[in-house]
Amino acid sequence: MPERTLMVTNDFPPREGGIEVFAYEIARRLAGPDGTGVTVLASGRRGGTAGEGPERFDRRQPFEVVRVDTAMLLPTPRVARRAAELAAERGCTRVVFGAAAPLGLMAGRLRRDGGVHRIVGLTHGHEAWWARLPATRRLLRRIGEGVDHLTYIGGYTRDAIAPALSPAARERMVRLAPGVDTGLFRPGGDGAEVRERHGLGEGPVVLSASRLVPRKGVDALIQAMPWVRARIPDARLLVVGDGPDRERLRRLAAWTGVEGEVVFAGTVAHASMPPYYAAADLFAMPCRTRRLGLEAEGLGIVFLEAASCGLPVLAGSSGGAPETVAHGTTGYVVDGGDAREIADRITRVLTSGSRAKAMGEAGRKRVDHAWTWDGAAERLERLLEG
Ligand code: GDD
């Protein structure tokens, strides 16, 4: 019988976001056919969901989800004790941290009191900035010592994280990139209902999907819209997601004179994303690096999902985002601080007809084999087996 795994993660659906999607896709594969292969220990926070609360979500899962009643799961003594007890009770001999920082600091306690002998910590974008600041860099080094493997999502995050680790922990780093469910995110979907509900009309639609924070570059897309509309008067911008920047972005749209052409759809559940991609002609997230290089994009699952749906993609030249695009073939890498360049690329793609279609087809092909959740889960299983 395969060994059981405890996944400890602050980020888990029904909240939306990249780590949430990553942790969920991995958990459901570790669960195995009867669901007993994994128990998930997650925070109980409700914010950022598209309707369904954690209780209902958890009941629908074929595996066990245990919630700690806290907004953010941190490696406090209380949480470490709970995780170790749960591992021991459920006979979980292996642990996966949904995000290595900061929860990986509990690794020692889990080995000592939980009977755990194999630990893998997944890293995403934020560990890259942890590696840069002296205090968090020391903690990241400790995390690297406590786990058997730290994984990385791409070349940018590997290069950023590796220098913070001991030579031995660096040696043990393994690539574990996100994937896409290419059956769910596929070309030819029906976007008519989304277009109608949001009054998008018949013209071309540019879609962006992200947490609304300045790094994701929705503001630059809004600033690009007047130039785009000068060439394509019926073009629209559809923004999926929510976050602290929402009101500023709404004001910016009004101030830029494109209030009626920018539609904020709010948070959308991950499983409901395909019709949004289907409603669009181009996906754009011109992410940019902020705070003196500290805040960059780790990779960007949305670029992969968009390509999988056959859309041409515009990605900002921040962090690992360019790794998701074959520049000139599946889309373009743009300077997220240059609204004029963004407008130019959008306009050219939207007016190029067959070229845009060819880019979408090339993107789908690129994603189809290289970025799969099954592949990621198999690699993780091998790491957990040692
Ligand atoms: N933000 C947001 N808002 N995401 C949504 C929503 C929504 O309303 N609905 C669904 N999603 C899904 C997207 O479809 C996608 O699967 C995921 O949430 C967003 O993932 P990323 O584009 O990767 O962005 P992130 O900043 O949340 O994720 C972080 O971790 C990723 C995984 O390692 C970043 O570090 C990324 O760079 C990294 O790829």
Side-chain angles (χ1 to χ4, degrees), residues 201-375:
E202 300 295 313
V205 169
V206 178
L207 171 71
S208 199
S210 70
R211 192 169 136 73
L212 299 184
V213 289
R215 165 166 67 86
K216 299 286 188 175
V218 175
D219 48 5
L221 280 176
I222 292 172
Q223 283 159 343
M225 280 309 280
W227 282 306
V228 172
R229 288 179 56 86
R231 291 279 312 280
I232 314 170
D234 53 354
R236 296 275 201 284
L237 172 62
L238 175 61
V239 179
V240 165
D242 205 346
D245 217 15
R246 183 187 52 208
E247 289 316 310
R248 183 183 75 92
L249 292 170
R250 280 189 193 281
R251 282 197 303 274
L252 181 66
W255 187 78
T256 315
V258 291
E259 202 172 11
E261 287 75 43
V262 180
V263 175
F264 291 92
T267 303
V268 171
H270 188 236
S272 308
M273 284 298 290
Y276 283 81
Y277 291 111
D281 298 276
L282 164 71
F283 182 85
M285 191 175 89
C287 43
R288 60 179 184 268
T289 300
R290 298 181 72 241
R291 299 181 208 270
L292 303 169
L294 277 182
E295 197 188 324
E297 191 60 48
L299 193 81
I301 297 175
V302 282
F303 299 124
L304 305 176
E305 291 171 348
S308 185
C309 291
L311 288 180
V313 166
L314 237 66
S317 57
S318 170
E323 297 172 44
T324 63
V325 181
H327 182 72
T329 305
T330 66
Y332 294 104
V333 176
V334 294
D335 175 354
D338 187 343
R340 190 71 210 237
E341 183 199 348
I342 295 166
D344 219 51
R345 286 295 189 197
I346 292 175
T347 310
R348 276 202 246 164
V349 173
L350 291 182
T351 53
S352 72
S354 61
R355 177 103 188 89
K357 192 162 174 279
M359 283 189 151
E361 284 167 2
R364 167 79 188 179
K365 236 185 250 158
R366 188 166 182 267
V367 162
D368 212 3
H369 296 293
W371 309 84
T372 71
W373 290 118
D374 284 343

